Amino acid sequence: MQFARLPRLRLAGLPTPLEEATRLERLFPGTRLFLKRDDLTHPALGGNKARKLEFLLADARRQGADVVLTVGGPQSNHARITAALSARLGWECILVLEGAEPPEAQGNLLIDRLLGADVRFAGARPAQEVMEEIAAGLEAQGRRPYAIPVGGSTPLGAVGYCLAMEEMLAQASDAGVVVHRVYVATGSGGTQAGLVLGARVLDPSLRVTGVSVSRSAEESRSRVAELATGAASLLGLPVRVEAARVEVLDGYVGPGYGVPTPGCLEAIRLLAREEGVLLDPVYTGKAMACLLDHLRRGVIGEGENVVFWHTGGAPALFAYSQELEV
Ligand SMILES: Cc1ncc(COP(=O)(O)O)c(C=O)c1O
């Protein structure tokens, strides 16, 4: 497939491995299970956002930016990776995190500070609004700020995941494996959007299931569709992705974003003990809880090959030591 070439900074360690989860497979005979290890994208403990930031930060450079801003929760993986890549590029990085400053800097927040990011808290105000205000102030001082919305989920960010789908399908094909299904955690939607678009143009029979960690299925589906259609237009693809053709499940969110469910905690322990792989309590634990549930209930058919897209997030484990106590 010919994609339009967009400016890209090669900042992630790609390709990431596609690994067969052979010990996990023994628990579910008849299904081959693979892990796409985007937890190993490299910058400061890795994760999915590095693929989006290769395009977003190239755009920032093209615009002559000298300071990068973004938003997220105190345990935002996106904020951590943005801070790491800004450090690598020698750019100032301002992170506007939601809510009040937690009493202890743990996990991602600890790493944000180590990376030299200027960390601020939005308090009761929406973080996006605070970020825009800071960016406007910087502009008034003659600086060139580049503000990235939550999760780096813009059409340009999603482009990184369309190419990731191409990468994974090439790896599977080299291994002689036909992939029938992909499972991925869905938050701000850019990751699934890129994967959905990639599947649509490269292998329309491949089913991409997004497991929401926060929003309703309906809201997620339309966000994903909109981002995928926007990414298609940037890539010069005459494709319109309809929300009705996007699959997002919202039955695994539990009490809310960032609150681990029993299924999530079980999934984290199972993958750690069976595969030596660390999931996280906010995203991948919930997505894996869905996959395990589908395997147990026979939602996944005999002979189907499944890729679980490991989007990273393990640094947040340290902020959840009480919930994870064994
Ligand atoms: C570890 C991890 N997995 C999945 C996601 C979800 O990606 P997206 O926001 O593109 O839906 C995020 C987003 O922050 C993340 O940090």
Side-chain angles (χ1 to χ4, degrees), residues 47-49 52 75-78 150-151 153 184-192 213 257 280 283-284 311-314:
N48 59 334
K49 304 304 175 171
K52 299 180 182 181
Q75 285 305 321
S76 166
N77 299 294
H78 165 67
V150 69
S153 283
V184 66
T186 292
S188 55
T191 303
Q192 189 184 355
V213 299
Y257 174 76
D280 82 285
Y283 298 94
T284 53
T311 46

Side-chain angles (χ1 to χ4, degrees), residues 24-59:
L24 195 60
E25 276 173 359
R26 293 194 320 190
L27 305 176
F28 304 102
T31 306
R32 290 183 75 185
L33 299 169
F34 297 83
L35 304 174
K36 178 61 172 160
R37 298 294 305 271
D38 273 11
D39 54 324
L40 304 178
T41 54
H42 171 59
L45 304 178
N48 59 334
K49 304 304 175 171
R51 290 190 191 265
K52 299 180 182 181
L53 286 163
E54 284 198 333
F55 289 92
L56 293 167
L57 295 179
D59 186 45

